[in-house]
Amino acid sequence: MIGTERLRDALRDTPHWEWVDAATGEPEAIGRSFAAAGRRTSRAPLPGVPGWTVDEAARALLLTALPTALQNAHQTLQTAHPPARVAAEVAAELAVAVAAEVGDLYRYGDADEKRAVLKALPLLPVGPDALPLVHDAIRTNDARLVAAALGPYARHLDQAAWRQAVLKCVFMGVPLAVVDGLDERADAELAAMLAAFAAERAAAGRPMPDDAAALLHRLTSEET
Amino acid sequence: MRIFDPHIHMTSRTTDDYARMAAAGVLAVVEPAFWLGQPRTNPGSFTDYFDSLVGWEPYRAAQFGIAHHATIALNPKEANDPRCRPVLDLLPRYLDKDRVVAVGEIGFDSMTPDEDDAFERQLALAVEHELPALVHTPHRDKVRGTRRSLEIVAASGSAPGRVVLDHLNEVTVDLVAGSGCWMGFSIYPETKMSPPRMVEILRRHGPERVLVNSAADWGVSDPLLTLETGRAMLAAGFTDDDVDRVLWRNPVGFYGQSGRLDLTGAPSAEPTFAGSSIKRGGS
């Protein structure tokens, strides 16, 4: 998985670092900086980090600056609540607060912003609280959002929803390479769904995508 | 002929229209936020609509190689409904979006005090967000509505060159020509303007600060009347360069003032960078 440090290091080597550095220092202005990141930086691929563009990485860093900002606000509150509560309770509260802020940015984001939020989810201390965003993205007809929803954070999806999402990728022509941990998680039920899809395609005289056919082959040959 | 339709409501059009438009040379569109046939009753209806204008619709357009941008506003008709007015407080979020290139459509429908207020507040938002403004001129009492719109624009602090007054015709064009604002014309099958009448206006006024659009929506309208107007111009003796200026360079010039026009998806512009794996059109 691509980590925050790798994104930060790669961004440092671009001409856009100055803007990113300044914007991450003002987490209270994230509503505007998050929206403007595309035109303030660049939509070109981020050198050295396959699968990420400069603006996606910039937006991810803006999001990773949120927990500290929210934590500081929380700590001020907590001093009024002695005795000190257990760390787990505090972490859970922070996860809810971060997920709410991230959820708001997603809700009012354009397609590029939504995609950046989805890609950044594994880097944020939100636990499973941001799962509704993944469900929202999978419901869309935008192949870029469906693809971004199936990164490492999709481990929080239950198995039935995950299988449906994988099948939706096949249906939409999204390469299965976007699905994180595909082979580890693919099961007999997914194989049955893929086999049924292949039969339907065959009946219609339409081809099954190669990567889906290969996955079906791997799943069925493992069984025998 | 390369065509930039500076005003078209693609939400109301089918995917077949996108295919026909692309085949006709329409490479870029701007979709202004406006009313739908059915009045809305709450701000959530607007935000879902705005989401579509900055999310789904550009994605759909890109599948046909068409670059899609939007303008965002509370339209004049629904500005009169107290249930809809709170959307004014939600506009700033959308006015910061990458593909939002103006505030609009604002202006008058029935020239009520509520419309005045929404018009003025949204012109102020345009200044604050460094965006041009798209002003709809009313269908009824058009001359007075146009005159009052110009007064409000002049009082707003917006530079006239960053404002377009749309749906002009023979009786309102002269009012706007002297103001320094841009002049928009909507070419319709039956109402508003027709290609031959548009050619006459271009003969008299020249192509400067003129935008020609189809304003195609859910009513009787045709997304290819921009092309028809270009053909009518050529038939009347205008040059290819004149047509390119009116149908491409003028809208690029007007909306380009936002600094947010991204035509890299349009085939005529620079090719997209190599290695963009999932292109805007996807799959």
Side-chain angles (χ1 to χ4, degrees):
Chain A
M1 195 182 89
I2 309 276
T4 307
E5 283 314 309
R6 183 141 171 230
L7 295 178
R8 182 178 289 120
D9 288 346
L11 278 171
R12 271 206 187 95
D13 293 336
T14 71
H16 311 291
W17 174 247
E18 201 180 327
W19 184 85
V20 176
D21 195 34
T24 48
E26 289 182 83
E28 67 285 354
I30 194 168
R32 297 200 75 167
S33 56
F34 200 71
R39 58 186 182 274
R40 296 281 182 250
T41 65
S42 150
R43 300 177 189 97
L46 180 61
V49 189
W52 285 77
T53 60
V54 173
D55 58 329
E56 285 168 355
R59 286 183 167 127
L61 284 197
L62 288 171
L63 294 175
T64 57
L66 276 179
T68 315
L70 289 167
Q71 202 162 26
N72 291 343
H74 263 241
Q75 269 164 1
T76 323
L77 286 177
Q78 277 162 27
T79 51
H81 287 285
R85 288 168 306 162
V86 284
E89 199 182 318
V90 174
E93 245 177 49
L94 183 64
V96 170
V98 174
E101 183 77 22
V102 170
D104 200 47
L105 288 164
Y106 179 91
R107 164 63 190 85
Y108 289 105
D110 65 17
D112 286 350
E113 292 171 78
K114 285 186 161 83
R115 193 170 69 244
V117 168
L118 293 165
K119 292 182 79 161
L121 287 179
L123 311 175
L124 302 172
V126 289
D129 291 344
L131 200 51
L133 310 188
V134 176
H135 283 293
D136 178 271
I138 291 169
R139 270 194 299 273
T140 70
N141 274 324
D142 188 328
R144 300 164 307 165
L145 293 181
V146 174
L150 290 173
Y153 191 80
R155 70 178 178 277
H156 294 292
L157 278 176
D158 66 54
Q159 191 67 5
W162 182 82
R163 284 191 211 104
Q164 282 288 342
V166 173
L167 199 63
K168 182 163 178 173
C169 284
V170 177
F171 192 80
M172 294 180 89
V174 174
L176 288 178
V178 305
V179 181
D180 187 73
L182 178 66
D183 278 72
E184 294 81 61
R185 198 164 172 183
D187 57 10
E189 179 61 23
L190 180 63
M193 290 160 78
L194 286 169
F197 180 78
E200 221 180 311
R201 280 280 164 107
R206 297 175 61 200
M208 176 87 162
D210 288 343
D211 55 359
L215 173 62
L216 179 57
H217 180 74
R218 290 201 297 280
L219 289 170
T220 46
S221 54
E222 276 165 19
E223 274 173 21
T224 51
Chain B
M1 202 184 296
R2 54 178 183 170
I3 299 170
F4 185 136
D5 194 335
H7 183 151
I8 183 165
H9 301 284
M10 292 311 299
T11 301
S12 307
R13 310 300 305 191
T14 64
T15 299
D16 286 351
D17 284 334
Y18 271 125
R20 289 164 57 231
M21 288 160 65
V26 180
L27 306 175
V29 297
V30 166
E31 175 157 10
F34 207 47
W35 54 64
L36 306 171
Q38 175 71 36
R40 282 165 284 210
T41 59
N42 68 86
S45 288
F46 282 87
T47 51
D48 285 346
Y49 172 62
F50 297 157
D51 291 337
S52 182
L53 296 188
V54 299
W56 172 242
E57 213 50 63
Y59 179 72
R60 202 161 73 108
Q63 290 169 19
F64 300 89
I66 296 175
H68 180 291
H69 295 81
T71 79
I72 295 287
L74 171 61
N75 64 73
K77 187 185 287 197
E78 288 170 307
N80 291 304
D81 189 333
R83 296 171 299 177
C84 297
R85 289 180 68 83
V87 80
L88 286 169
D89 298 325
L90 294 167
L91 292 178
R93 289 203 91 128
Y94 289 94
L95 297 180
D96 277 334
K97 300 302 176 204
D98 271 345
R99 301 188 77 81
V100 171
V101 291
V103 173
E105 298 180 49
I106 52 177
F108 288 122
D109 177 54
S110 306
M111 289 191 274
T112 64
D114 277 342
E115 290 175 27
D116 265 331
D117 177 63
F119 192 176
E120 284 167 1
R121 281 173 65 181
Q122 293 184 97
L123 278 173
L125 284 175
V127 174
E128 187 186 333
H129 291 262
E130 299 175 355
L131 287 171
L134 166 59
V135 177
H136 161 98
T137 56
H139 304 309
R140 304 174 304 278
D141 208 0
K142 198 175 192 70
V143 172
R144 280 206 299 168
T146 303
R147 200 172 278 135
R148 265 183 75 182
S149 297
L150 287 170
E151 287 165 9
I152 286 181
V153 167
S156 73
S158 292
R162 292 173 66 84
V163 177
V164 58
L165 269 73
D166 212 344
H167 315 313
L168 301 183
N169 58 26
E170 291 85 349
V171 302
T172 52
V173 60
D174 290 327
L175 289 174
V176 183
S179 72
C181 292
W182 286 66
M183 294 161 277
F185 298 89
S186 302
I187 318 299
Y188 262 32
E190 291 159 13
T191 59
K192 295 191 170 82
M193 290 291 294
S194 68
R197 286 166 55 207
M198 188 64 232
V199 167
E200 274 313 305
I201 285 185
L202 283 164
R203 268 209 185 106
R204 286 197 284 125
H205 286 271
E208 197 185 333
R209 287 184 287 121
V210 168
L211 301 180
V212 169
N213 61 65
S214 75
D217 58 10
W218 33 259
V220 177
S221 50
D222 180 349
L224 298 187
L225 286 181
T226 47
L227 172 67
E228 281 309 309
T229 304
R231 284 180 177 153
M233 285 177 70
L234 292 174
F238 283 97
T239 64
D240 285 328
D241 190 66
D242 294 329
V243 173
D244 190 68
R245 179 167 180 190
V246 171
L247 293 183
W248 185 266
R249 302 200 303 272
N250 277 358
V252 169
F254 179 73
Y255 286 118
Q257 296 180 91
S258 66
R260 304 187 200 171
L261 208 55
D262 176 11
L263 298 172
T264 48
S268 70
E270 292 295 307
T272 48
F273 47 78
S276 69
S277 50
I278 299 177
K279 63 168 188 166
R280 286 183 190 279
S283 64

